[in-house]
Amino acid sequence: MSPQYVNRRADVDAAVKLGLTAEEYAHICEIQGGEPTYVELAIYSLMWSEHCSYKHSRPILGRFPTSGPRVLQGPGENAGVIDIGDGWAIAMKVESHNHPSAVEPFQGAATGVGGIVRDIFTMGARPIVSCDSLRFGELDEPRQRYLLDGVVGGIAHYGNCLGIPTVCGEIYFEPSYEGNCLVNAMAAGILRTDQIVRAKAAGVGNHVVLIGNKTGRDGIGGASVLASQEFDETLEEKRPSVQVGDPFTEKKLIEACLVLLHDHLVVSMQDLGAAGLTSSSSEMASKGMVGLDIHADRVPLREADMEPWEIMISESQERMLSIVEPGKLDAVREVCDRWDLDCTVIGEVTDSKMLRVWWHGEMVGDIPARRLADEAPVVRTPSVKPAYIADDPVAVGDADYPAAKDLGAALLELLAAPNIADKRWAWEQYDYIVQANTMQIPGGDAAVLRVKGTTRGIAFANDCNGRHCYLDPYRGAKAAVAEAARNLSCAGALPVAVTDCLNFGNPEKGEIYWQFEQAIEGIAEACEALDTPVVSGNVSFYNESFGNAIYPTPMVGMLGLYDDVSVHIDHGFKDEGDLVLLLGPDGAWLDGSEFQKARYGKVEGRVPDVDLEAERRLQAALRAAVGRRLLKSAHDCAEGGLAVALAECAIGSGVNGGARYADPEARAQGGAGRWRGTDVELPEALLAAPGQPLGAAGRPDLALFGEAPTRVVATCAPGDFEALEALLGDIPHRRVGVVTGETLRCTMKGNELISVTVRALRDAYESLPGRLA
Amino acid sequence: MSPAHRPVRFGVVVFPGSNCDTDAHHAIGTFPGAGAQFLWHKDTDLAGVDAVILPGGFSYGDYLRCGAIARFSPIMQAVRDFAADGGLVIGICNGFQTLVESGLLPGGLLRNMGLKFVCRYVNLRVENADTPFTSTCDEGDLLRIIVKHNEGNYAVDAETLARMNANGQIVLRYADASGALTDEANPNGAVENIAGICNDTFNVFGMMPHPENSVEAAMAGGADGRRIFQSMIDTVLQRAEVAS
């Protein structure tokens, strides 16, 4: 049977069906000098899709700071690379797999992990870290529980099999994600600074070699069908567009490809992600300023009757494209044989500068590679500030926001709120210890890992409060960067670089485009102030279902460094008698807080603006204190405010693994370590902070549960307090209490506001599994 | 160098899909008196090592029953011969599953009772300290080590279980912090909270938890796993001394 579409010309109707506009089709005809073939049109439609071309985001992303003394590779490659010293570097990148996961959560999430890990080892780095930021609708909906279960299971299935520790992540639940969950997979790898490989074809006459899995019809149109459109009632029909993951083959690919790269057996390498062979070959050709001939009929197939255009756009997983000098082909085959991987010469590098597709000797596609890449359309939607955006914080009147009377009960309610509750149910499904580098396991502010053979360490955190970004995308995005950095600084790590995953609705709408522009500006300003360039990232648009957009969710993943990782600390209270300190300015906001949502069912007002200079100084002082071992614990004061932060420190005293478990004395006191509570006297100043609307209200519930940036709860030994104060200088700080027995007590002027045992706090905090049944 | 002081050599078998092989190699490297080398699954001899580690991971993707394909790897014949000669073999997690599939250990490992992969700290109560794998422990000691598996639910027929109990082949059980064998302390539903067992000649040992991720006090995994490897090192050295 001869394929139907070989060399047939495609008209404008065919182009529109593939998601191109009439103007784009005319442009294609101009480049091609006439009507394109179906193969050519399929290639253009994918490469010019939102997912591959960043057509709506490219003009704005240039705002990001992307360089710095540590940056060895910024955006534009498979991953960014940061110099961490001693000749070592870290490659890092995050990518969304939202749409596949909404259609088929298990495979969608699994292949998200597979894809991001390929981006890392393609750079020549051994993957050492996996993290995931997830967003779902509210858990009362059975479908949301199904999605959560499937996504977490898929991440576990793939990441665990690869032997890459999943050490950090975050999960939030908001109604806006109901029809469009978010699955942002981040990975990082380690390499020597002289081992960086870039995806650039070179050397006329070299072989184009496909390594790994056979090609099937799975994932055809994944990028164009799924990632570049909104969802509607045809969701179920899109299931065949989701790829199926094979982590075993990927594990073998990692091992084989790292040998090929480190032994210089290949000229370059590129993974086959969105748009499969099409994007990998055209990117390699255009970056290398050469041509590539691809013989589609030589690609090993799972299904015999595939058409050349299907072969070119299939998104079958676990495949790598590499450029190999003829003299090294045998050595490449030998490595692949050792790992039982297919290794097939499917084409060659030419001096034509054309991407040519052949089918049994007949040329069925002939596209100028550079123009395909460079002349992708750029679209800038006129932005419109949405009507819902408020200019001022809410007025906290008793009519709308009656004061909580039982503050202990309110605290337990917040701890049990799905957005705050312990995500242990999820992360215990992930192997977080493999590779023997993990120093802090999930559940704290940051994941901390050592770099073997050195005194150095790295830390990761990812953050984004979607509610805050919804209420003010500029302030919310800025706060996401500040919070990620604060999480790293709490653990004592120096924040050095960002990878971001920008999840937004339909960019053709002015309001969405406004959110996007605002968020980019917020990230850019914060990254400049905190000296954390953006080295890689991903944009995911069209996160809408039935016309409803998600909260703008610019997820920030951040890398931190230690020269001496042994100084790292976690958030758990340590010893009775330690002093409890609140670092940072007074004042807290109800706007966009978890308290506002959980207790009053509202998301409104205006979130505070992070003072980046205050943030930078606080974090520098924090790191200096950790470096001098003056602090015993530190915890970012985020969702749920001061009270939840204190509760998490108390719960963390006994729950988490790590150093405390290894300490025989702690174990002798009761195996899992003994709970540490705290006695805290709420400073009146927190109720009457100048210029803050909450303070004016004079309500202890708002002082305890209101939220503010740039705040940290820390503890120190009493003997270190003086040195710590000297170090902090004029950075705002208050001594609010002491670490005590097994109860969290909070008083104000002799009145008891809260008194709850740590065990009861823990039970509320670990109540998530009960909601999933 | 006297025989008693020569480095003890561990062979770590690498199957396609093994992913704790480098961790096991690294762990052995933290013992001054020991060294490790990798053994490729397609090889047919053990290169003269003193003890063998079948590491954790997902050999052949665990797409069939865990360990069911690995048992057919060429290296496994050499491992069987080595074990038959009394050589020390430890199988960790997927390695344990492979030993069971190979018939070197009794019973089987079913899917976890909770139907989910579980990565968690557990307390292991030492039931028999008189084995080559637990000789540095005392009976009743608690070791705090991480489990991470999807199929760790140990099962065996009642008759064999009774015999294993009588022989002292049950070496480690999941316990709570006080040493009690509770259901809550059992991460996978294993019969009688079994976490680790020996064969009836006590030279082949399988355990679900990962001692190789528990050899350095500064790391999240702690250092209790050292006692398992130290016991093996001591045993090899004692045997060498006796032989000389």
Side-chain angles (χ1 to χ4, degrees):
Chain A
M1 194 177 76
S2 79
Q4 267 186 295
Y5 291 106
V6 169
N7 270 346
R8 252 180 62 191
R9 299 285 151 177
D11 59 17
V12 66
D13 291 345
V16 170
K17 273 188 198 145
L18 289 175
L20 293 161
T21 64
E23 296 77 51
E24 286 166 354
Y25 177 76
H27 189 184
I28 292 166
C29 291
E30 187 257 309
I31 294 176
Q32 291 299 121
E35 287 190 341
T37 65
Y38 268 87
V39 172
E40 288 163 351
L41 187 71
I43 291 173
Y44 275 103
S45 75
L46 281 163
M47 293 308 293
W48 288 10
S49 70
E50 182 64 50
H51 190 78
C52 294
S53 75
Y54 288 67
K55 64 173 97 171
H56 282 93
S57 57
R58 264 188 301 156
I60 301 178
L61 293 177
R63 172 69 185 87
F64 285 153
T66 57
S67 56
R70 287 191 183 82
V71 179
L72 300 177
Q73 176 64 57
E77 276 290 336
N78 284 299
V81 182
I82 299 295
D83 190 337
I84 64 165
D86 288 343
W88 290 104
I90 295 290
M92 63 192 276
K93 171 94 184 279
V94 63
E95 214 160 64
S96 64
H97 236 219
N98 306 338
H99 293 86
S101 304
V103 177
E104 210 297 285
F106 187 92
Q107 290 297 343
T111 53
V113 174
I116 196 64
V117 166
R118 281 196 300 283
D119 279 338
I120 298 303
F121 71 76
T122 303
M123 298 299 296
R126 173 164 290 277
I128 56 166
V129 164
S130 172
C131 293
D132 306 277
S133 281
L134 313 178
R135 300 289 185 278
F136 302 93
E138 299 291 345
L139 279 175
D140 339 329
E141 293 285 327
R143 179 166 174 84
Q144 301 306 315
R145 298 198 292 273
Y146 156 76
L147 289 171
L148 172 67
D149 196 56
V151 164
V152 170
I155 291 168
H157 165 70
Y158 210 104
N160 294 348
C161 186
L162 293 184
I164 299 169
T166 301
V167 288
C168 57
E170 36 151 31
I171 308 180
Y172 288 93
F173 308 93
E174 303 287 351
S176 82
Y177 303 109
E178 202 164 281
N180 197 124
C181 62
L182 301 186
V183 175
N184 293 178
M186 175 176 136
I190 192 161
L191 68 165
R192 302 294 297 172
T193 51
D194 58 5
Q195 284 175 332
I196 301 177
V197 182
R198 294 180 175 87
K200 185 167 104 172
V204 172
N206 282 344
H207 295 302
V208 178
V209 177
L210 187 61
I211 298 171
N213 261 342
K214 293 186 176 21
T215 299
R217 284 202 171 89
D218 52 326
I220 284 191
S224 56
V225 176
L226 286 176
S228 303
Q229 287 177 18
E230 295 177 29
F231 281 148
D232 51 27
E233 58 284 336
T234 64
L235 186 73
E236 292 297 318
E237 294 166 22
K238 289 171 175 159
R239 200 178 294 262
S241 295
V242 178
Q243 316 88 334
V244 178
D246 172 5
F248 173 55
T249 295
E250 177 124 329
K251 167 70 175 157
K252 294 191 295 178
L253 266 182
I254 294 174
E255 302 304 331
C257 290
L258 287 178
V259 171
L260 294 178
L261 291 166
H262 294 169
D263 290 355
H264 305 290
L265 297 179
V266 297
V267 175
S268 64
M269 194 175 267
Q270 171 76 326
D271 78 302
L272 277 69
L277 205 43
T278 290
S279 63
S280 54
S281 56
S282 57
E283 280 167 23
M284 284 184 104
S286 76
K287 281 183 186 157
M289 308 282 275
V290 293
L292 284 190
D293 277 7
I294 302 291
H295 299 273
D297 52 292
R298 295 182 195 165
V299 173
L301 300 180
R302 273 209 299 268
E303 298 167 77
D305 61 344
M306 287 176 71
E307 305 238 2
W309 68 272
E310 290 179 308
I311 293 167
M312 288 304 293
I313 70 174
S314 160
E315 294 184 4
S316 289
Q317 298 288 289
E318 295 90 22
R319 297 180 301 162
M320 305 294 288
L321 198 65
S322 57
I323 305 297
V324 180
E325 290 169 15
K328 290 182 176 170
L329 186 61
D330 286 344
V332 169
R333 284 194 202 282
E334 203 174 303
V335 172
C336 293
D337 280 352
R338 180 175 169 86
W339 290 98
D340 300 319
L341 290 164
D342 276 354
C343 167
T344 313
V345 176
I346 62 161
E348 53 276 334
V349 180
T350 71
D351 58 6
S352 67
K353 300 199 176 172
M354 303 295 279
L355 172 64
R356 293 190 297 213
V357 182
W358 300 80
W359 184 251
H360 296 290
E362 189 182 355
M363 189 164 70
V364 296
D366 187 18
I367 298 177
R370 192 98 204 150
R371 296 188 73 182
L372 174 66
D374 288 355
E375 294 186 25
V378 171
V379 185
R380 215 171 162 148
T381 309
S383 58
V384 179
K385 183 176 174 180
Y388 75 83
I389 299 278
D391 291 328
D392 299 304
V394 291
V396 186
D398 262 352
D400 288 342
Y401 291 103
K405 296 284 182 282
D406 184 340
L407 298 177
L411 173 58
L412 291 172
E413 190 180 295
L414 271 181
L415 286 172
N419 283 342
I420 290 179
D422 194 4
K423 308 303 185 296
R424 176 178 297 268
W425 173 88
W427 55 257
E428 276 198 346
Q429 296 183 50
Y430 309 143
D431 183 346
Y432 47 77
I433 197 85
V434 67
Q435 296 195 11
N437 294 322
T438 308
M439 303 191 80
Q440 276 190 37
I441 69 169
D445 288 62
V448 178
L449 300 100
R450 66 151 165 216
V451 176
K452 284 197 193 97
T454 73
T455 60
R456 293 175 190 277
I458 54 174
F460 285 93
N462 36 14
D463 282 290
C464 179
N465 187 320
R467 272 200 313 269
H468 288 199
C469 292
Y470 168 73
L471 293 175
D472 188 327
Y474 163 77
R475 291 184 176 183
K478 206 165 143 183
V481 175
E483 186 176 347
R486 200 181 312 126
N487 283 330
L488 295 175
S489 294
C490 279
L494 174 69
V496 294
V498 161
T499 181
D500 59 358
C501 200
L502 307 169
N503 307 274
F504 289 81
N506 180 345
E508 297 159 35
K509 299 177 182 172
E511 286 89 353
I512 301 293
Y513 211 67
W514 183 85
Q515 290 176 340
F516 184 67
E517 286 176 339
Q518 293 285 310
I520 299 306
E521 182 58 28
I523 291 175
E525 284 180 24
C527 285
E528 280 162 357
L530 300 176
D531 209 8
T532 52
V534 178
V535 296
S536 59
N538 167 236
V539 180
S540 173
F541 280 131
Y542 298 98
N543 291 292
E544 300 202 4
S545 56
F546 300 100
N548 297 316
I550 58 160
Y551 285 160
T553 312
M555 201 285 290
V556 174
M558 201 177 277
L559 168 69
L561 299 185
Y562 295 92
D563 289 336
D564 174 6
V565 72
S566 72
V567 302
H568 78 98
I569 57 171
D570 64 18
H571 68 289
F573 287 146
K574 297 296 182 298
D575 298 298
E576 283 192 45
D578 288 346
L579 305 181
V580 179
L581 316 169
L582 177 61
L583 313 180
D586 296 336
W589 282 255
L590 181 64
D591 311 74
S593 67
E594 190 61 35
F595 189 55
Q596 185 185 42
K597 180 195 172 190
R599 185 155 193 104
Y600 305 105
K602 293 180 184 177
V603 176
E604 59 179 10
R606 186 150 196 222
V607 294
D609 199 11
V610 178
D611 177 341
L612 290 171
E613 179 55 18
E615 187 74 53
R616 194 188 60 73
R617 294 190 64 223
L618 174 88
Q619 292 190 26
L622 198 53
R623 290 191 303 270
V626 175
R628 288 172 53 190
R629 300 179 199 265
L630 293 174
L631 293 179
K632 285 188 168 179
S633 72
H635 186 33
D636 174 33
C637 205
E639 288 89 358
L642 173 62
V644 165
L646 291 168
E648 286 171 342
C649 296
I651 297 165
S653 69
V655 178
N656 271 333
R660 281 197 68 76
Y661 278 143
D663 169 14
E665 195 187 336
R667 201 165 47 206
Q669 290 172 356
R674 203 163 68 181
W675 304 112
R676 308 287 181 188
T678 179
D679 262 343
V680 164
E681 169 73 14
L682 191 65
E684 267 188 280
L686 293 191
L687 277 73
Q692 306 303 348
L694 284 197
R699 281 170 43 174
D701 60 336
L702 300 182
L704 284 167
F705 305 125
E707 296 171 17
T710 326
R711 292 200 304 173
V712 169
V713 169
T715 60
C716 70
D720 287 331
F721 184 64
E722 208 172 308
L724 187 62
E725 280 223 291
L727 189 154
L728 288 169
D730 63 349
I731 290 167
H733 61 278
R734 294 176 175 282
R735 196 170 135 172
V736 293
V738 287
V739 175
T740 58
E742 306 197 348
T743 299
L744 187 154
R745 254 181 104 242
C746 181
T747 54
M748 194 177 68
K749 289 190 290 185
N751 295 321
E752 187 171 84
L753 302 175
I754 295 175
S755 178
V756 185
T757 65
V758 183
R759 185 169 294 275
L761 296 173
R762 193 273 312 261
D763 288 347
Y765 192 58
E766 295 197 346
S767 62
L768 196 59
R771 291 171 185 259
L772 301 174
Chain B
M1 188 186 282
S2 75
H5 290 94
R6 75 187 178 88
V8 174
R9 286 170 59 221
F10 284 75
V12 180
V13 177
V14 182
F15 299 102
S18 293
N19 65 23
C20 301
D21 45 347
T22 51
D23 292 5
H25 191 281
H26 170 81
I28 297 304
T30 66
F31 290 86
Q37 68 188 81
F38 292 116
L39 302 171
W40 186 239
H41 70 112
K42 289 178 186 170
D43 291 347
T44 51
D45 77 80
L46 301 181
V49 297
D50 299 307
V52 171
I53 300 177
L54 301 187
F58 292 70
S59 57
Y60 297 92
D62 281 351
Y63 289 160
L64 195 60
R65 236 173 27 253
C66 306
I69 301 182
R71 66 172 277 216
F72 292 111
S73 273
I75 193 95
M76 284 308 294
Q77 187 52 50
V79 172
R80 273 187 284 269
D81 293 345
F82 180 73
D85 285 347
L88 295 189
V89 178
I90 179 173
I92 300 164
C93 197
N94 197 233
F96 185 9
Q97 294 161 345
T98 305
L99 288 174
V100 164
E101 288 290 335
S102 305
L104 288 168
L105 288 173
L109 290 149
L110 309 179
R111 191 148 182 222
N112 295 346
M113 189 98 92
L115 303 181
K116 302 228 179 279
F117 188 98
V118 58
C119 181
R120 181 184 298 168
Y121 292 84
V122 292
N123 300 300
L124 302 172
R125 194 175 80 183
V126 177
E127 303 291 276
N128 183 352
D130 189 20
T131 81
F133 307 91
T134 48
S135 59
T136 57
C137 308
D138 290 320
E139 205 175 298
D141 276 359
L142 289 181
L143 309 180
R144 193 160 179 88
I145 296 181
I146 286 177
V147 289
K148 43 175 188 175
H149 57 246
N150 205 26
E151 287 90 4
N153 180 355
Y154 185 74
V156 67
D157 65 275
E159 198 185 318
T160 310
L161 180 59
R163 196 170 60 240
M164 291 167 72
N165 269 315
N167 286 348
Q169 286 171 253
I170 313 300
V171 180
L172 300 171
R173 292 185 207 266
Y174 303 110
D176 70 10
S178 71
L181 306 177
T182 63
D183 286 346
E184 292 70 41
N186 184 342
N188 51 36
V191 62
E192 293 188 0
N193 285 35
I194 290 175
I197 60 168
C198 266
N199 63 349
D200 56 12
T201 47
F202 294 93
N203 64 316
V204 178
F205 176 56
M207 65 186 287
M208 287 312 298
H210 288 258
E212 80 282 15
N213 284 142
S214 179
V215 293
E216 294 161 281
M219 305 304 293
D224 286 4
R226 293 192 73 79
R227 292 158 80 182
I228 303 287
F229 298 117
Q230 190 62 58
S231 300
M232 293 177 73
I233 292 167
D234 290 356
T235 302
V236 169
L237 292 175
Q238 278 159 20
R239 286 181 177 182
E241 208 160 346
V242 171
S244 68

